[in-house]
Structures are given as structure tokens and as C-alpha cells.
């Protein structure tokens, strides 16, 4: 639950709740990866300020007890204000990639297998 280093890279754990289960997302420089969250405490949101890229789960359009819905994920993205965000961890109710892309703000995109993100 404390920052640590791997090959000189500082990794900052982000405490999030996956339903009733506490888990971690991670911030590495200007990038954060949170793939199994329902809620993020206020003090942890502070650790996400100034991101260039955020990868965040968004299971489906309707609410779920342990995962963010599309609306909940987009609300968090508005609060965190990364330059770009990518949604991941979709289930079968999410719909087709092209349909998800159309409903998202300009700086938010659905992830896909093989996606590469370059952060400079």
C-alpha cells in the first residue's frame, strides 16, 4: 500500500474498492491503471491528478455492485481530468466497440486487444 520501485520506475498503489473487496490500481508516472473498481476514496483521487492517461474499468451501461458502469466511469474521468482515458473490462452487455466509441467524449476511448499506449 506504499509506493515502490521497479527498475527505477516509481509505482504508486491506488486503493480502490471492488464491491466490498479492497484492491489496488497503480500510477506509474503520468499513467494510471485501474481495472476492477466500483469506488475510489477521495484521498486516492488526489493521487490521480495530473495524469496524461488513465485506464479505467467500465463494465456495461447499467450499474453493477462491484464494477463501474459507463456513466460512473465517465463521472470519475471528469473529476480526475486526465488528458486521455481508456475504458476496459467490458462484459457482453457493453455492446460493439464502434457503438461504445460513438457515445464517449472526444478524449475517452474503449480499449481493445493489442492496444499500445505511448506516454512521453
Amino acid at each position: 500500500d506504499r509506493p515502490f520501485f521497479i527498475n527505477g520506475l516509481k509505482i504508486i498503489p491506488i486503493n480502490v474498492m471492488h464491491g466490498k473487496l479492497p484492491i489496488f490500481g497503480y500510477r506509474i508516472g503520468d499513467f494510471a491503471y485501474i481495472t476492477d473498481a466500483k469506488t475510489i476514496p477521495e484521498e486516492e483521487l488526489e493521487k490521480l491528478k495530473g495524469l496524461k492517461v488513465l485506464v479505467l474499468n467500465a463494465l456495461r451501461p447499467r450499474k453493477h455492485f462491484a464494477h463501474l458502469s459507463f456513466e460512473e466511469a465517465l463521472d470519475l474521468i471528469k473529476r480526475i481530468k486526465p488528458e486521455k482515458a481508456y475504458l476496459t473490462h467490458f462484459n457482453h452487455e457493453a455492446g460493439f466497440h464502434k457503438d461504445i466509441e460513438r457515445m464517449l467524449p472526444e478524449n475517452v476511448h474503449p480499449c481493445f486487444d493489442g492496444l499500445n499506449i505511448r506516454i512521453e
Side-chain angles (χ1 to χ4, degrees):
D1 64 348
R2 293 181 306 246
F4 59 95
F5 292 85
I6 297 176
N7 294 329
L9 283 174
K10 184 177 183 181
I11 315 292
I12 301 170
I14 309 297
N15 294 295
V16 303
M17 294 301 294
H18 176 52
K20 293 181 180 182
L21 183 64
I23 66 154
F24 292 109
Y26 297 96
R27 179 175 182 152
I28 304 167
D30 293 329
F31 172 79
Y33 187 76
I34 303 170
T35 63
D36 262 329
K38 175 62 175 181
T39 58
I40 304 175
E42 285 299 319
E43 61 273 12
E44 298 302 299
L45 287 174
E46 289 297 314
K47 297 178 183 178
L48 298 170
K49 291 199 173 182
L51 289 174
K52 287 187 180 179
V53 177
L54 170 64
V55 175
L56 185 64
N57 67 286
L59 188 68
R60 62 189 186 194
R62 67 185 174 94
K63 291 189 178 191
H64 185 272
F65 76 96
H67 296 278
L68 294 166
S69 68
F70 288 173
E71 182 180 352
E72 291 166 331
L74 290 172
D75 286 345
L76 271 174
I77 290 166
K78 283 180 192 172
R79 291 185 65 204
I80 296 167
K81 297 181 175 125
E83 289 178 21
K84 286 188 178 183
Y86 293 88
L87 300 180
T88 192
H89 201 98
F90 303 124
N91 79 356
H92 66 283
E93 295 176 43
F96 292 107
H97 186 277
K98 64 182 167 89
D99 297 328
I100 297 169
E101 183 82 52
R102 275 190 284 234
M103 64 169 259
L104 297 175
E106 199 171 289
N107 68 325
V108 181
H109 308 280
C111 286
F112 55 88
D113 291 345
L115 174 65
N116 288 295
I117 299 171
R118 184 177 178 101
I119 301 169
E120 297 182 32

